[in-house]
Amino acid sequence: MKNILLIPQIRIHNANALSSPYTIGFPAMTAWLGATHALERKLKSSEFDEVRFKSMAVVCHKIELQTHRGEGDYVHSIIGTGNPLDKNGNRPSFIEEARCHLTVSLIIECENLGLDYDGLLEFVNNALRVMKCAGGDVLEAQPAELIEVDDEATCRKLLRRLMPGHCLIERRDLMAQEMEAGQDAIDSLLDYLKVTHRSDIDEKEKVTWESQRKEKGWIIPIATGFHGISEPGHAENQRDTETPHRFAESVVTLGEFVMPYRINDLDHMLWHYHTDLENNLYLCQQNRATTEL
Amino acid sequence: MLDPEIQNFLNDRKEIWLKKKINNKTSDEEMAELERQASDEFSLTAWLPHAAVRAKQLSLVSHPGKFSHPSAKISSIIAKAERAPDGFLRTGNVSTGLDVFGNAAAMDVHKFLTIVLSDNKTVLAHLEDKTETIEKQLTIPTVPFEIIEQGLLAIKQDDETSTKTSEKVKQVYFPVGDDYHLLSVLTPSNVMYKLKERINIMRFSEEAKAVREAKKKNHHHENVLSEIYGLTVIGFGGTKPQNISVLNSQNGGAAYLLPSMPPQLEARKTQPPKSSFFTNTLWVKPFESDFQAFHKALQRLAAEGGNNIHNRRKRDYLIRNIIYQVVDRLWAVRYIASGWSDSERCQQLPREQKIWLDQQYKESREENAEWLDSIKNELALWFINAYLKLINDKEAQGLGDEQISHIKKMVGECEEALI
Amino acid sequence: MAKNNIASVLAFEKKLVPSDGFMYGTTWAKRLENEATSPLKLQEKSVRGTISNRLKAAIKNDPLKLNAEVEKPNLQRVDSCALGTDQDTLKLHFTLKVLSGVEQPSACNNKEFNETYSQAARQYIEAEGFTELAKRYASNIANARFLWRNRVGTENIEVHVKVLNGESGQKWTFDAGSFSTRNFDSTNADVEALSKEIAKALSGEADFLLLEINAYAQIGGAQDVYPSEELVLDKSNSKGGKSKILYHVNDVAAMHSQKIGNALRTIDTWYPEHDEINVGPIAIEPYGAVTNLGTAYRNPKAKADFFTLFDRFACGETLDDKNDEHYVMAVLVRGGVFGASGKD
């Protein structure tokens, strides 16, 4: 059985759409787990300090990316925000920050809920209102709910609540498979993102062009964590002096957006933190990995 | 003898220098004087000691801080990471060179260090490996080789004694057990621009252009064309990309971002069905490969006996997969502005389908599920007909009663997705 | 306390969080009826501009060239937005969230500094309760400054404000024309009541405040309205692109939340030159920068900039002028990254 805290239809304004140095769009998985973690910390310093969040899933209902493509342009450009002037009244050079407005539902697997469900829900509703989420402002959200998922029927019911929308799952299996076969990471990634057009010519010299992607399904690159690139230690100007500091970079792998009804086990959509310090990896990964049948 | 590549480098320097000095008012005499001066200055013996001193004005890095913010000043990082088939785009899983930043006036030193000698190895690599070749090449009468060597290698050393991050760099807490690590997240410019290079080959190579042209004219071409759609361009450094890094400058300060967006179901791209969702909206052609796979699974099941659990699972997975694709189409229709089925054009659409498809019936759909039985029947029927239409295998023509009732059962199991 | 004890990393989240402003068209008579209200859409226009920029001398002095230049069809594609022919009133809708916690930076890497700062901030809250700032923010809601250009040349403007959170259900209606945008001297009871709620949220007496704001501006039949302009960092190098792109969300013309936020915090009348020049209140910014004037009214040379004042304030010094404290706190309400390592 799973205890699920469902926060439906959170509207977020100006969230960070630059999920990694290689990707733009839906905010990084680290941002969603980060928001959930921040909420858990708020609970910890309240009367609901026993509540623990084990894993979470995110479903995107609507997203508007703040980019622009003019007629006939091949590429999109970022729509910026005006930065304040510097002390001499000059406009500083632009740092291009990609933003999006979006509506998501969060599905959080909890433990130790205690008995005061109403109090807990009220606390969550209020806490969420004053939080930042994926770098954006929370404009509004529907009231949170606690749902017990103990069989197929309750699971299906929950999933239907999440429609229409798309839930993000990891497809690292696809990329790893290519890399096992000897391709480097960029080629492995691009192989699943590119559309291949090939032509055929029949006896009557009729030409047909067909277009195809390597894998069915909505496969996209996603940022799922960080890769430490220096040893843990101390650095000047770190945000606090007590926590071990490291330089790091985003890691990107393949993911897939699926409509929730395709999920037959909640663990296929739930994510949790996982550190693999031996390989310097700080990851968000799924409770159960998706692999092809 | 001096490696020809080094000689070419020095000659180029000399040319550039002369071009700056000479204008149409320069007399022949002055010209000769300048020539002599240049030949002196850009001889290895004269140029090298100076270069060895200037090398420390530059830093080779894998993750330049200025990509985070033009005024971020951080330690120079040269990340080292093993390659592993872990499914991640990260440093170590792509082979790239390093980026460099520092005093623009010293960039010629960087150019020198990246010269590829006749043995296909760069000057820098030679220096790092302390080869005899490089010692021979760079030994000059005036300064001991060790001094030159040390000076040039300073490009890889951080002269700061302490590690430094910046407020301008995004610093992220990541839970590690009951504690945290604080991560300063940087941009691997070398990987980022390698990605751009690969995409540009797809976009702009002569081969790609030829195939694209053929496709445009609907001509046949032997080769395939690969395209990445939906790219966004991001800029670093505005009108002064050279302030960020050398790689950034070489790339005109612009990198590509791959789209990472959920599918956008746009109402205007879906036509409302006139008489039936199953005949107007669900074309069978896109399902061809799915039904083929399903057909193969059935054959295997027949050959190996129906008790093989793996084969049965595979079959059920494939059936479900087709049903879910139908549901995808269903949602495309549901995205059309609610009330569409009231239009006269949809007069012939059965009442059950209107309830099923038009979001104006969202509530009544859930309250009263009478309509659902008819939809389930029609869906099962569509499934069976699509199979017959797409699979022309005479031997296997038709589905046995057992399979037909199984398909109906599977549709029933998926009914939550249909509501 | 010495200056070098300023935290090198220091950041504050904004405490006034407006949404985007959505634009609708309606009529003044039926402005409160939802059925009479429709979302405003952007339209694309091709306009034939005339040459009005200063010409190069070479062209100016050559009549033939000049003729050719002036006759060039200066065709431009632009977005525009206007009320419908049967509409005379613009409705702008947005929400505003007011949060507490100014005394707590969102990031600070110096414990000692954090303590002295928090203490100074708490003292300010205790003494002032944010009443001065709240009054000014409330005035900028009442006077509809956030309509920007849409405020000009209107017959009537009415602002409806409603508390969305909690049980109180308080509501106010303001006749924007009766409030000045030049000063904050008004003593209107409703503005007082609204500012009391804002002050409570800012000082932490209430968890937060969520307001719904609807402004109705009677600007005349089928008149143009002005959504925010988009800042496209164009990399496509293509010609024939649009020269003006306006902001919309889901096909509804809109004003950026930043633009609304900027109007709400246009409360700085405490900068050195205020009494001499006729600029009026400027937006709260660390250097008092005003974008459209290209000037920073709080230059560090005059020691009136945020960093100079904040460094003293945060280290427990009493500032000479209460107004300097108001200004410092207003910048913290605005939020930003203010660490010693990130200055400039």
Side-chain angles (χ1 to χ4, degrees):
Chain A
M1 192 195 78
K2 279 188 191 332
N3 281 308
I4 298 293
L5 172 66
L6 170 67
I7 312 178
Q9 308 280 337
I10 310 171
R11 259 182 64 210
I12 306 170
H13 191 69
N14 280 338
N16 177 13
L18 196 62
S19 46
S20 81
Y22 327 106
T23 51
I24 186 171
F26 192 66
M29 210 48 227
T30 44
W32 301 112
L33 268 170
T36 311
H37 188 72
L39 187 57
E40 185 187 274
R41 280 175 61 99
K42 287 201 172 201
L43 286 166
K44 274 188 192 166
S45 56
S46 76
E47 57 189 296
F48 305 100
D49 57 340
E50 300 277 296
V51 179
R52 289 293 170 277
F53 293 163
K54 281 181 70 186
S55 62
M56 63 87 61
V58 55
V59 170
C60 179
H61 302 291
K62 204 185 248 179
I63 178 165
E64 276 189 86
L65 186 60
Q66 301 301 299
T67 57
H68 174 79
R69 184 163 66 157
E71 238 168 82
D73 292 350
Y74 180 78
V75 294
H76 299 250
S77 303
I78 289 174
I79 296 175
T81 52
N83 293 2
L85 307 183
D86 65 16
K87 58 186 168 197
N88 300 317
N90 297 323
R91 200 175 262 290
S93 75
F94 273 110
I95 300 146
E96 299 199 17
E97 289 168 339
R99 299 161 298 119
C100 64
H101 308 328
L102 72 171
T103 307
V104 299
S105 294
L106 298 183
I107 300 93
I108 305 171
E109 186 191 0
C110 325
E111 269 178 351
N112 303 333
L113 285 175
L115 296 171
D116 183 11
Y117 280 22
D118 289 343
L120 174 63
L121 288 174
E122 200 191 322
F123 184 91
V124 168
N125 289 334
N126 280 329
L128 192 79
R129 281 282 175 83
V130 300
M131 268 175 62
K132 287 226 141 193
C133 217
D137 299 317
V138 175
L139 292 184
E140 59 182 357
Q142 283 179 15
E145 292 169 46
L146 283 166
I147 297 168
E148 277 181 17
V149 175
D150 45 13
D151 59 3
E152 173 111 17
T154 44
C155 176
R156 290 274 139 214
K157 209 168 155 205
L158 169 65
L159 292 172
R160 188 145 59 80
R161 287 283 312 277
L162 303 172
M163 288 298 296
H166 291 92
C167 129
L168 186 59
I169 62 173
E170 190 178 44
R171 293 309 306 272
R172 192 174 150 193
D173 57 308
L174 296 175
M175 187 144 156
Q177 197 180 303
E178 293 294 292
M179 289 172 75
E180 290 281 2
Q183 297 243 59
D184 80 357
I186 291 180
D187 283 342
S188 304
L189 192 71
L190 292 181
D191 265 358
Y192 284 94
L193 306 180
K194 68 190 182 195
V195 176
T196 308
H197 306 275
R198 66 168 51 76
S199 62
D200 207 12
I201 185 159
D202 64 11
E203 320 79 72
K204 291 173 195 152
E205 305 227 319
K206 191 180 166 246
V207 177
T208 44
W209 279 88
E210 282 198 359
S211 310
Q212 207 176 9
R213 299 231 312 184
K214 193 177 172 86
E215 178 82 12
K216 261 196 178 180
W218 195 269
I219 307 289
I220 34 95
I222 55 168
T224 60
F226 304 104
H227 173 216
I229 52 168
S230 69
E231 290 305 313
H234 180 79
E236 271 177 59
N237 304 326
Q238 67 181 72
R239 269 177 72 165
D240 81 73
T241 46
E242 269 125 64
T243 311
H245 169 270
R246 288 183 98 158
F247 288 106
E249 62 179 4
S250 296
V251 296
V252 162
T253 186
L254 288 168
E256 185 175 356
F257 273 112
V258 297
M259 290 233 200
Y261 51 76
R262 285 179 186 255
I263 302 290
N264 44 38
D265 175 352
L266 285 187
D267 281 327
H268 274 312
M269 64 192 279
L270 292 166
W271 297 72
H272 61 266
Y273 283 124
H274 171 78
T275 41
D276 172 4
L277 290 183
E278 203 173 310
N279 292 305
N280 306 315
L281 291 171
Y282 299 80
L283 303 173
C284 303
Q285 71 178 31
Q286 298 222 255
N287 293 1
R288 266 185 78 185
T290 300
T291 48
E292 264 194 305
L293 194 91
Chain B
M1 215 196 84
L2 198 56
D3 190 292
E5 294 301 327
I6 296 183
Q7 191 57 60
N8 286 343
F9 169 84
L10 291 169
N11 292 347
D12 287 349
R13 294 284 108 202
K14 183 173 142 188
E15 287 304 313
I16 294 168
W17 186 85
L18 277 173
K19 238 185 212 160
K20 274 192 205 150
K21 299 276 175 185
I22 296 171
N23 54 41
N24 46 17
K25 288 178 197 142
T26 314
S27 70
D28 286 354
E29 267 167 50
E30 287 168 331
M31 191 96 95
E33 173 57 28
L34 283 171
E35 279 277 0
R36 214 182 41 244
Q37 219 181 315
S39 296
D40 282 353
E41 205 158 314
F42 295 97
S43 70
L44 189 68
T45 314
W47 185 83
L48 193 58
H50 191 43
V53 171
R54 290 183 298 141
K56 64 170 182 290
Q57 295 171 18
L58 300 174
S59 295
L60 278 180
V61 287
S62 57
H63 293 70
K66 290 186 190 298
F67 281 88
S68 303
H69 193 284
S71 59
K73 294 187 184 81
I74 63 159
S75 307
S76 305
I77 305 288
I78 299 179
K80 288 188 197 76
E82 297 294 317
R83 184 161 178 165
D86 53 13
F88 288 127
L89 175 56
R90 57 163 176 83
T91 294
N93 280 343
V94 178
S95 64
T96 64
L98 291 169
D99 201 345
V100 61
F101 80 87
N103 186 354
M107 286 306 165
D108 55 325
V109 183
H110 174 242
K111 212 163 192 182
F112 175 74
L113 288 169
T114 49
I115 294 175
V116 180
L117 298 188
S118 336
D119 60 356
N120 265 329
K121 203 165 161 174
T122 63
V123 170
L124 183 63
H126 271 288
L127 285 168
E128 287 182 304
D129 295 351
K130 297 184 182 302
T131 63
E132 263 176 57
T133 316
I134 205 68
E135 183 164 357
K136 260 188 205 149
Q137 287 289 325
L138 302 188
T139 297
I140 51 173
T142 46
V143 182
F145 172 70
E146 289 74 32
I147 303 285
I148 298 288
E149 185 189 28
Q150 262 177 31
L152 290 175
L153 282 174
I155 197 171
K156 291 199 79 171
Q157 279 150 17
D158 201 348
D159 39 346
E160 299 274 345
T161 44
S162 62
T163 314
K164 199 186 213 169
T165 181
S166 163
E167 183 182 38
K168 297 282 168 77
V169 168
K170 191 167 132 188
Q171 299 184 25
V172 180
Y173 286 99
F174 202 98
V176 176
D178 287 329
D179 224 323
Y180 295 91
H181 280 185
L182 185 56
L183 308 174
S184 285
V185 184
L186 302 176
T187 300
S189 52
N190 46 5
V191 180
M192 186 176 74
Y193 281 123
K194 185 62 82 177
L195 173 69
K196 182 180 180 182
E197 185 185 310
R198 299 271 172 88
I199 294 173
N200 273 350
I201 292 171
M202 283 189 203
R203 284 182 72 185
F204 301 123
S205 70
E206 288 307 317
E207 189 196 313
K209 280 184 191 161
V211 189
R212 196 173 295 127
E213 196 54 30
K215 179 170 174 281
K216 218 168 161 187
K217 293 181 178 152
N218 201 31
H219 290 168
H220 176 63
H221 202 288
E222 305 283 272
N223 295 330
V224 300
L225 173 67
S226 296
E227 304 264 32
I228 300 277
Y229 295 107
L231 294 173
T232 298
V233 176
I234 184 169
F236 297 95
T239 51
K240 297 193 182 91
Q242 67 277 13
N243 288 355
I244 307 295
S245 84
V246 166
L247 258 183
N248 192 57
S249 182
Q250 287 166 353
N251 279 281
Y256 291 148
L257 298 170
L258 298 162
S260 176
M261 291 282 281
Q264 305 273 58
L265 292 174
E266 276 183 64
R268 52 197 103 143
K269 285 191 185 144
T270 311
Q271 282 295 323
K274 276 189 203 162
S275 56
S276 165
F277 172 78
F278 296 98
T279 50
N280 303 151
T281 313
L282 270 193
W283 297 307
V284 295
K285 189 77 183 156
F287 291 87
E288 189 161 1
S289 61
D290 300 294
F291 277 103
Q292 236 131 33
F294 169 66
H295 178 56
K296 268 197 202 116
L298 286 188
Q299 282 178 319
R300 200 169 311 126
L301 211 55
E304 294 170 18
N307 292 329
N308 184 318
I309 235 193
H310 177 73
N311 286 344
R312 283 208 316 252
R313 269 203 198 133
K314 177 93 187 167
R315 173 200 59 190
D316 290 353
Y317 166 82
L318 291 165
I319 296 176
R320 220 178 281 123
N321 185 34
I322 292 170
I323 295 173
Y324 286 154
Q325 286 181 64
V326 173
V327 180
D328 291 343
R329 296 298 301 155
L330 158 67
W331 276 99
V333 176
R334 282 185 181 172
Y335 265 92
I336 304 173
S338 76
W340 57 266
S341 66
D342 294 342
S343 139
E344 232 169 83
R345 294 179 61 240
C346 303
Q347 252 178 0
Q348 288 174 35
L349 192 66
R351 170 100 190 129
E352 304 82 60
Q353 288 201 25
K354 287 184 180 175
I355 295 175
W356 185 43
L357 298 167
D358 188 338
Q359 282 299 71
Q360 71 170 313
Y361 302 110
K362 192 168 170 260
E363 261 91 60
S364 49
R365 201 185 290 149
E366 291 176 28
E367 281 159 16
N368 179 353
E370 267 172 44
W371 56 275
L372 183 60
D373 281 340
S374 124
I375 296 294
K376 283 196 293 192
N377 270 332
E378 277 189 82
L379 176 55
L381 208 63
W382 172 86
F383 190 106
I384 293 155
N385 285 335
Y387 172 77
L388 295 178
K389 201 163 170 184
L390 290 168
I391 305 302
N392 284 317
D393 188 337
K394 285 283 175 289
E395 281 168 51
Q397 190 60 278
L399 291 158
D401 287 346
E402 193 193 336
Q403 294 303 345
I404 289 179
S405 70
H406 185 69
I407 288 162
K408 285 188 173 159
K409 186 173 146 247
M410 290 291 296
V411 170
E413 279 179 20
C414 294
E415 74 175 30
E416 281 280 348
L418 298 173
I419 298 173
Chain C
M1 199 166 156
K3 246 190 185 175
N4 54 14
N5 277 335
I6 300 291
S8 66
V9 176
L10 182 66
F12 291 84
E13 302 283 11
K14 61 177 175 286
K15 302 299 177 222
L16 292 183
V17 188
S19 70
D20 282 335
F22 297 95
M23 304 179 104
Y24 303 85
T26 183
T27 61
W28 185 256
K30 294 187 176 171
R31 63 187 181 280
L32 300 184
E33 291 169 28
N34 270 336
E35 300 77 53
T37 306
S38 60
L40 292 178
K41 290 190 169 154
L42 301 182
Q43 285 142 8
E44 196 179 290
K45 280 205 283 208
S46 282
V47 291
R48 180 189 279 268
T50 50
I51 299 290
S52 54
N53 53 318
R54 209 176 275 265
L55 296 171
K56 282 185 208 127
I59 296 174
K60 211 163 54 183
N61 301 329
D62 180 338
L64 270 181
K65 272 191 190 158
L66 180 62
N67 258 344
E69 189 70 19
V70 173
E71 278 168 19
K72 253 189 220 165
N74 181 20
L75 268 187
Q76 294 177 331
R77 279 172 43 238
V78 296
D79 276 341
S80 71
C81 187
L83 295 177
T85 45
D86 51 349
Q87 299 174 333
D88 67 352
T89 298
L90 163 71
K91 172 183 172 183
L92 182 79
H93 163 87
F94 66 98
T95 61
L96 173 67
K97 212 159 54 174
V98 185
L99 307 175
S100 60
V102 175
E103 69 283 2
Q104 197 54 59
S106 62
C108 175
N109 65 348
N110 183 325
K111 260 194 177 160
E112 265 174 75
F113 173 83
N114 201 359
E115 272 164 33
T116 57
Y117 162 69
S118 292
Q119 204 187 340
R122 273 194 298 268
Q123 266 168 15
Y124 175 87
I125 294 171
E126 232 166 79
E128 297 294 323
F130 273 112
T131 47
E132 182 60 30
L133 297 192
K135 188 184 170 195
R136 291 175 177 231
Y137 297 136
S139 302
N140 278 340
I141 294 172
N143 69 21
R145 191 192 296 276
F146 50 80
L147 284 174
W148 290 96
R149 208 176 152 187
N150 298 296
R151 201 180 179 284
V152 180
T154 47
E155 285 176 54
N156 285 299
I157 306 179
E158 205 171 79
V159 181
H160 293 237
V161 181
K162 195 166 126 192
V163 177
L164 288 184
N165 63 316
E167 312 284 298
S168 79
Q170 289 183 85
K171 281 184 203 176
W172 302 277
T173 302
F174 300 100
D175 171 13
S178 63
F179 297 94
S180 169
T181 55
R182 304 287 300 180
N183 64 61
F184 302 98
D185 301 338
S186 151
T187 51
N188 176 290
D190 283 346
V191 172
E192 286 292 329
L194 171 58
S195 74
K196 218 168 132 193
E197 294 302 314
I198 295 175
K200 272 204 287 196
L202 283 174
S203 52
E205 261 181 73
D207 282 347
F208 69 102
L209 175 68
L210 183 61
L211 298 174
E212 179 190 71
I213 295 156
N214 288 304
Y216 304 90
Q218 192 181 9
I219 58 176
Q223 284 292 317
D224 274 353
V225 300
Y226 304 99
S228 290
E229 196 167 334
E230 295 279 45
L231 185 68
V232 177
L233 306 169
D234 199 348
K235 299 293 182 323
S236 61
N237 304 322
S238 70
K239 298 278 179 308
K242 258 195 248 186
S243 58
K244 189 200 257 177
I245 295 160
L246 298 178
Y247 185 49
H248 69 99
V249 178
N250 290 325
D251 267 346
V252 184
M255 288 176 76
H256 289 140
S257 57
Q258 298 91 325
K259 183 120 188 165
I260 291 176
N262 188 289
L264 296 180
R265 67 167 186 274
T266 299
I267 60 167
D268 186 355
T269 55
W270 309 302
Y271 56 96
E273 282 175 283
H274 174 263
D275 296 341
E276 285 99 73
I277 57 172
N278 197 26
V279 169
I282 62 172
I284 292 290
E285 292 293 338
Y287 294 112
V290 180
T291 306
N292 53 4
L293 300 177
T295 311
Y297 288 104
R298 287 177 175 273
N299 193 288
K301 277 181 214 143
K303 301 231 178 281
D305 66 301
F306 168 72
F307 295 99
T308 306
L309 296 170
F310 177 69
D311 289 358
R312 291 165 50 202
F313 172 79
C315 297
E317 228 182 275
T318 316
L319 300 184
D320 318 332
D321 193 338
K322 192 93 240 167
N323 291 340
D324 287 343
E325 288 189 7
H326 292 323
Y327 166 70
V328 166
M329 291 308 283
V331 176
L332 298 173
V333 167
R334 168 197 180 272
V337 178
F338 303 128
S341 74
K343 238 187 264 188
D344 276 341

